[in-house]
PDB file of all heavy atoms in Angstrom:
ATOM      1  N   ILE A 307      56.243  -6.023 -24.297  1.00  0.00           N
ATOM      2  CA  ILE A 307      55.639  -4.843 -23.847  1.00  0.00           C
ATOM      3  C   ILE A 307      55.853  -4.753 -22.312  1.00  0.00           C
ATOM      4  O   ILE A 307      56.027  -5.784 -21.635  1.00  0.00           O
ATOM      5  CB  ILE A 307      54.135  -4.813 -24.198  1.00  0.00           C
ATOM      6  CG1 ILE A 307      53.371  -5.930 -23.460  1.00  0.00           C
ATOM      7  CG2 ILE A 307      53.879  -4.861 -25.700  1.00  0.00           C
ATOM      8  CD1 ILE A 307      51.862  -5.848 -23.617  1.00  0.00           C
ATOM      9  N   PRO A 308      55.866  -3.527 -21.816  1.00  0.00           N
ATOM     10  CA  PRO A 308      56.071  -3.391 -20.362  1.00  0.00           C
ATOM     11  C   PRO A 308      54.927  -3.998 -19.509  1.00  0.00           C
ATOM     12  O   PRO A 308      53.796  -3.929 -19.867  1.00  0.00           O
ATOM     13  CB  PRO A 308      56.095  -1.858 -20.127  1.00  0.00           C
ATOM     14  CG  PRO A 308      55.609  -1.255 -21.404  1.00  0.00           C
ATOM     15  CD  PRO A 308      55.675  -2.249 -22.476  1.00  0.00           C
ATOM     16  N   LEU A 309      55.360  -4.696 -18.450  1.00  0.00           N
ATOM     17  CA  LEU A 309      54.395  -5.299 -17.534  1.00  0.00           C
ATOM     18  C   LEU A 309      53.929  -4.285 -16.470  1.00  0.00           C
ATOM     19  O   LEU A 309      54.760  -3.670 -15.901  1.00  0.00           O
ATOM     20  CB  LEU A 309      55.064  -6.559 -16.823  1.00  0.00           C
ATOM     21  CG  LEU A 309      55.454  -7.711 -17.752  1.00  0.00           C
ATOM     22  CD1 LEU A 309      56.213  -8.738 -16.984  1.00  0.00           C
ATOM     23  CD2 LEU A 309      54.257  -8.275 -18.512  1.00  0.00           C
ATOM     24  N   VAL A 310      52.646  -4.178 -16.292  1.00  0.00           N
ATOM     25  CA  VAL A 310      52.076  -3.237 -15.306  1.00  0.00           C
ATOM     26  C   VAL A 310      51.338  -4.058 -14.262  1.00  0.00           C
ATOM     27  O   VAL A 310      50.354  -4.794 -14.545  1.00  0.00           O
ATOM     28  CB  VAL A 310      51.110  -2.258 -16.026  1.00  0.00           C
ATOM     29  CG1 VAL A 310      50.506  -1.347 -14.966  1.00  0.00           C
ATOM     30  CG2 VAL A 310      51.852  -1.464 -17.098  1.00  0.00           C
ATOM     31  N   ASN A 311      51.776  -4.013 -12.998  1.00  0.00           N
ATOM     32  CA  ASN A 311      51.184  -4.803 -11.967  1.00  0.00           C
ATOM     33  C   ASN A 311      50.205  -4.100 -11.060  1.00  0.00           C
ATOM     34  O   ASN A 311      49.508  -4.664 -10.259  1.00  0.00           O
ATOM     35  CB  ASN A 311      52.312  -5.359 -11.076  1.00  0.00           C
ATOM     36  CG  ASN A 311      53.290  -6.292 -11.842  1.00  0.00           C
ATOM     37  OD1 ASN A 311      52.837  -7.120 -12.610  1.00  0.00           O
ATOM     38  ND2 ASN A 311      54.543  -6.043 -11.700  1.00  0.00           N
ATOM     39  N   SER A 312      50.160  -2.747 -11.163  1.00  0.00           N
ATOM     40  CA  SER A 312      49.254  -1.945 -10.364  1.00  0.00           C
ATOM     41  C   SER A 312      48.925  -0.620 -11.030  1.00  0.00           C
ATOM     42  O   SER A 312      49.639  -0.201 -11.974  1.00  0.00           O
ATOM     43  CB  SER A 312      49.863  -1.691  -8.980  1.00  0.00           C
ATOM     44  OG  SER A 312      51.004  -0.810  -9.083  1.00  0.00           O
ATOM     45  N   SER A 313      47.854   0.011 -10.577  1.00  0.00           N
ATOM     46  CA  SER A 313      47.480   1.315 -11.114  1.00  0.00           C
ATOM     47  C   SER A 313      48.573   2.361 -10.873  1.00  0.00           C
ATOM     48  O   SER A 313      48.841   3.246 -11.753  1.00  0.00           O
ATOM     49  CB  SER A 313      46.152   1.791 -10.541  1.00  0.00           C
ATOM     50  OG  SER A 313      46.284   1.892  -9.122  1.00  0.00           O
ATOM     51  N   ALA A 314      49.250   2.227  -9.750  1.00  0.00           N
ATOM     52  CA  ALA A 314      50.366   3.151  -9.453  1.00  0.00           C
ATOM     53  C   ALA A 314      51.451   3.060 -10.457  1.00  0.00           C
ATOM     54  O   ALA A 314      52.023   4.063 -10.944  1.00  0.00           O
ATOM     55  CB  ALA A 314      50.833   2.964  -8.065  1.00  0.00           C
ATOM     56  N   GLU A 315      51.830   1.775 -10.821  1.00  0.00           N
ATOM     57  CA  GLU A 315      52.835   1.551 -11.786  1.00  0.00           C
ATOM     58  C   GLU A 315      52.464   2.126 -13.211  1.00  0.00           C
ATOM     59  O   GLU A 315      53.218   2.625 -13.906  1.00  0.00           O
ATOM     60  CB  GLU A 315      53.173   0.071 -11.913  1.00  0.00           C
ATOM     61  CG  GLU A 315      54.004  -0.481 -10.731  1.00  0.00           C
ATOM     62  CD  GLU A 315      54.361  -1.926 -10.955  1.00  0.00           C
ATOM     63  OE1 GLU A 315      54.300  -2.402 -12.090  1.00  0.00           O
ATOM     64  OE2 GLU A 315      54.750  -2.607  -9.974  1.00  0.00           O
ATOM     65  N   PHE A 316      51.153   1.911 -13.459  1.00  0.00           N
ATOM     66  CA  PHE A 316      50.644   2.369 -14.755  1.00  0.00           C
ATOM     67  C   PHE A 316      50.744   3.877 -14.887  1.00  0.00           C
ATOM     68  O   PHE A 316      51.277   4.398 -15.860  1.00  0.00           O
ATOM     69  CB  PHE A 316      49.187   1.926 -14.970  1.00  0.00           C
ATOM     70  CG  PHE A 316      48.539   2.347 -16.202  1.00  0.00           C
ATOM     71  CD1 PHE A 316      48.947   1.856 -17.419  1.00  0.00           C
ATOM     72  CD2 PHE A 316      47.538   3.350 -16.148  1.00  0.00           C
ATOM     73  CE1 PHE A 316      48.312   2.307 -18.589  1.00  0.00           C
ATOM     74  CE2 PHE A 316      46.902   3.813 -17.320  1.00  0.00           C
ATOM     75  CZ  PHE A 316      47.308   3.295 -18.559  1.00  0.00           C
ATOM     76  N   PHE A 317      50.214   4.608 -13.889  1.00  0.00           N
ATOM     77  CA  PHE A 317      50.262   6.081 -14.003  1.00  0.00           C
ATOM     78  C   PHE A 317      51.640   6.606 -13.878  1.00  0.00           C
ATOM     79  O   PHE A 317      51.921   7.764 -14.336  1.00  0.00           O
ATOM     80  CB  PHE A 317      49.378   6.680 -12.903  1.00  0.00           C
ATOM     81  CG  PHE A 317      47.874   6.508 -13.213  1.00  0.00           C
ATOM     82  CD1 PHE A 317      47.131   5.609 -12.478  1.00  0.00           C
ATOM     83  CD2 PHE A 317      47.276   7.156 -14.237  1.00  0.00           C
ATOM     84  CE1 PHE A 317      45.798   5.422 -12.710  1.00  0.00           C
ATOM     85  CE2 PHE A 317      45.928   6.987 -14.557  1.00  0.00           C
ATOM     86  CZ  PHE A 317      45.157   6.120 -13.830  1.00  0.00           C
ATOM     87  N   ALA A 318      52.600   5.878 -13.263  1.00  0.00           N
ATOM     88  CA  ALA A 318      53.985   6.332 -13.158  1.00  0.00           C
ATOM     89  C   ALA A 318      54.674   6.297 -14.551  1.00  0.00           C
ATOM     90  O   ALA A 318      55.699   6.989 -14.691  1.00  0.00           O
ATOM     91  CB  ALA A 318      54.744   5.425 -12.151  1.00  0.00           C
ATOM     92  N   LEU A 319      54.127   5.561 -15.497  1.00  0.00           N
ATOM     93  CA  LEU A 319      54.709   5.510 -16.840  1.00  0.00           C
ATOM     94  C   LEU A 319      54.460   6.800 -17.625  1.00  0.00           C
ATOM     95  O   LEU A 319      55.168   7.080 -18.621  1.00  0.00           O
ATOM     96  CB  LEU A 319      54.111   4.345 -17.591  1.00  0.00           C
ATOM     97  CG  LEU A 319      54.467   2.948 -17.061  1.00  0.00           C
ATOM     98  CD1 LEU A 319      53.682   1.829 -17.732  1.00  0.00           C
ATOM     99  CD2 LEU A 319      55.977   2.647 -17.215  1.00  0.00           C
ATOM    100  N   PHE A 320      53.417   7.560 -17.243  1.00  0.00           N
ATOM    101  CA  PHE A 320      53.110   8.785 -18.011  1.00  0.00           C
ATOM    102  C   PHE A 320      54.104   9.911 -17.728  1.00  0.00           C
ATOM    103  O   PHE A 320      54.629  10.042 -16.604  1.00  0.00           O
ATOM    104  CB  PHE A 320      51.702   9.288 -17.682  1.00  0.00           C
ATOM    105  CG  PHE A 320      50.608   8.385 -18.160  1.00  0.00           C
ATOM    106  CD1 PHE A 320      50.076   7.409 -17.378  1.00  0.00           C
ATOM    107  CD2 PHE A 320      50.126   8.556 -19.431  1.00  0.00           C
ATOM    108  CE1 PHE A 320      49.052   6.582 -17.861  1.00  0.00           C
ATOM    109  CE2 PHE A 320      49.132   7.748 -19.960  1.00  0.00           C
ATOM    110  CZ  PHE A 320      48.552   6.781 -19.148  1.00  0.00           C
ATOM    111  N   LYS A 321      54.361  10.739 -18.716  1.00  0.00           N
ATOM    112  CA  LYS A 321      55.234  11.889 -18.538  1.00  0.00           C
ATOM    113  C   LYS A 321      54.479  13.070 -19.099  1.00  0.00           C
ATOM    114  O   LYS A 321      53.537  12.954 -19.906  1.00  0.00           O
ATOM    115  CB  LYS A 321      56.524  11.730 -19.260  1.00  0.00           C
ATOM    116  CG  LYS A 321      57.408  10.534 -18.772  1.00  0.00           C
ATOM    117  CD  LYS A 321      58.739  10.484 -19.507  1.00  0.00           C
ATOM    118  CE  LYS A 321      59.524   9.312 -18.993  1.00  0.00           C
ATOM    119  NZ  LYS A 321      59.969   9.410 -17.599  1.00  0.00           N
ATOM    120  N   SER A 322      54.819  14.289 -18.691  1.00  0.00           N
ATOM    121  CA  SER A 322      54.130  15.478 -19.144  1.00  0.00           C
ATOM    122  C   SER A 322      55.055  16.465 -19.795  1.00  0.00           C
ATOM    123  O   SER A 322      56.319  16.536 -19.440  1.00  0.00           O
ATOM    124  CB  SER A 322      53.360  16.160 -17.966  1.00  0.00           C
ATOM    125  OG  SER A 322      54.299  16.458 -16.942  1.00  0.00           O
ATOM    126  N   ALA A 323      54.573  17.327 -20.690  1.00  0.00           N
ATOM    127  CA  ALA A 323      55.385  18.321 -21.350  1.00  0.00           C
ATOM    128  C   ALA A 323      55.897  19.373 -20.355  1.00  0.00           C
ATOM    129  O   ALA A 323      55.176  19.771 -19.400  1.00  0.00           O
ATOM    130  CB  ALA A 323      54.547  18.956 -22.453  1.00  0.00           C
ATOM    131  N   ASP A 324      57.111  19.786 -20.569  1.00  0.00           N
ATOM    132  CA  ASP A 324      57.714  20.848 -19.743  1.00  0.00           C
ATOM    133  C   ASP A 324      57.368  22.252 -20.339  1.00  0.00           C
ATOM    134  O   ASP A 324      58.091  22.696 -21.230  1.00  0.00           O
ATOM    135  CB  ASP A 324      59.221  20.614 -19.665  1.00  0.00           C
ATOM    136  CG  ASP A 324      59.926  21.628 -18.753  1.00  0.00           C
ATOM    137  OD1 ASP A 324      59.179  22.472 -18.147  1.00  0.00           O
ATOM    138  OD2 ASP A 324      61.143  21.549 -18.631  1.00  0.00           O
ATOM    139  N   PHE A 325      56.325  22.908 -19.831  1.00  0.00           N
ATOM    140  CA  PHE A 325      55.864  24.153 -20.433  1.00  0.00           C
ATOM    141  C   PHE A 325      56.850  25.255 -20.103  1.00  0.00           C
ATOM    142  O   PHE A 325      56.744  26.350 -20.716  1.00  0.00           O
ATOM    143  CB  PHE A 325      54.457  24.455 -19.916  1.00  0.00           C
ATOM    144  CG  PHE A 325      53.393  23.656 -20.611  1.00  0.00           C
ATOM    145  CD1 PHE A 325      52.977  22.447 -20.101  1.00  0.00           C
ATOM    146  CD2 PHE A 325      52.813  24.140 -21.738  1.00  0.00           C
ATOM    147  CE1 PHE A 325      52.008  21.721 -20.740  1.00  0.00           C
ATOM    148  CE2 PHE A 325      51.790  23.449 -22.389  1.00  0.00           C
ATOM    149  CZ  PHE A 325      51.390  22.216 -21.880  1.00  0.00           C
ATOM    150  N   SER A 326      57.770  25.144 -19.173  1.00  0.00           N
ATOM    151  CA  SER A 326      58.770  26.113 -18.886  1.00  0.00           C
ATOM    152  C   SER A 326      59.656  26.338 -20.083  1.00  0.00           C
ATOM    153  O   SER A 326      60.383  27.334 -20.170  1.00  0.00           O
ATOM    154  CB  SER A 326      59.514  25.778 -17.628  1.00  0.00           C
ATOM    155  OG  SER A 326      60.350  24.633 -17.853  1.00  0.00           O
ATOM    156  N   GLN A 327      59.702  25.340 -21.036  1.00  0.00           N
ATOM    157  CA  GLN A 327      60.593  25.449 -22.164  1.00  0.00           C
ATOM    158  C   GLN A 327      59.935  26.114 -23.396  1.00  0.00           C
ATOM    159  O   GLN A 327      60.515  26.033 -24.484  1.00  0.00           O
ATOM    160  CB  GLN A 327      61.140  24.066 -22.499  1.00  0.00           C
ATOM    161  CG  GLN A 327      61.975  23.386 -21.481  1.00  0.00           C
ATOM    162  CD  GLN A 327      63.282  24.119 -21.332  1.00  0.00           C
ATOM    163  OE1 GLN A 327      63.939  24.580 -22.243  1.00  0.00           O
ATOM    164  NE2 GLN A 327      63.723  24.294 -20.040  1.00  0.00           N
ATOM    165  N   ILE A 328      58.812  26.691 -23.201  1.00  0.00           N
ATOM    166  CA  ILE A 328      58.041  27.254 -24.324  1.00  0.00           C
ATOM    167  C   ILE A 328      58.789  28.420 -24.998  1.00  0.00           C
ATOM    168  O   ILE A 328      58.640  28.680 -26.175  1.00  0.00           O
ATOM    169  CB  ILE A 328      56.639  27.680 -23.885  1.00  0.00           C
ATOM    170  CG1 ILE A 328      55.764  27.886 -25.177  1.00  0.00           C
ATOM    171  CG2 ILE A 328      56.669  28.969 -23.034  1.00  0.00           C
ATOM    172  CD1 ILE A 328      54.318  28.083 -24.856  1.00  0.00           C
ATOM    173  N   GLY A 329      59.687  29.033 -24.327  1.00  0.00           N
ATOM    174  CA  GLY A 329      60.506  30.103 -24.889  1.00  0.00           C
ATOM    175  C   GLY A 329      61.765  29.612 -25.560  1.00  0.00           C
ATOM    176  O   GLY A 329      62.517  30.445 -26.083  1.00  0.00           O
ATOM    177  N   ASN A 330      62.017  28.350 -25.470  1.00  0.00           N
ATOM    178  CA  ASN A 330      63.263  27.737 -26.073  1.00  0.00           C
ATOM    179  C   ASN A 330      63.130  27.745 -27.612  1.00  0.00           C
ATOM    180  O   ASN A 330      62.228  27.112 -28.194  1.00  0.00           O
ATOM    181  CB  ASN A 330      63.452  26.356 -25.555  1.00  0.00           C
ATOM    182  CG  ASN A 330      64.798  25.735 -25.961  1.00  0.00           C
ATOM    183  OD1 ASN A 330      65.377  26.061 -27.048  1.00  0.00           O
ATOM    184  ND2 ASN A 330      65.249  24.812 -25.175  1.00  0.00           N
ATOM    185  N   LYS A 331      64.034  28.467 -28.308  1.00  0.00           N
ATOM    186  CA  LYS A 331      63.991  28.565 -29.781  1.00  0.00           C
ATOM    187  C   LYS A 331      64.101  27.218 -30.386  1.00  0.00           C
ATOM    188  O   LYS A 331      63.347  26.885 -31.400  1.00  0.00           O
ATOM    189  CB  LYS A 331      65.160  29.441 -30.221  1.00  0.00           C
ATOM    190  CG  LYS A 331      65.254  29.570 -31.733  1.00  0.00           C
ATOM    191  CD  LYS A 331      66.456  30.373 -32.165  1.00  0.00           C
ATOM    192  CE  LYS A 331      66.636  30.420 -33.640  1.00  0.00           C
ATOM    193  NZ  LYS A 331      67.861  31.210 -34.018  1.00  0.00           N
TER     194      LYS A 331
END
């Protein structure tokens, strides 16, 4: 499993949905 050494590293692992692609068929 990935090693997390700090809170900054932990939150850097998150990604978010690209809502600009909502019109993509």
Side-chain angles (χ1 to χ4, degrees):
I307 64 173
L309 298 175
V310 178
N311 298 315
S312 66
S313 58
E315 287 186 16
F316 177 70
F317 288 109
L319 294 171
F320 290 94
K321 298 181 182 295
S322 59
D324 183 0
F325 283 88
S326 66
Q327 296 294 319
I328 195 169
N330 186 335
K331 177 183 176 182

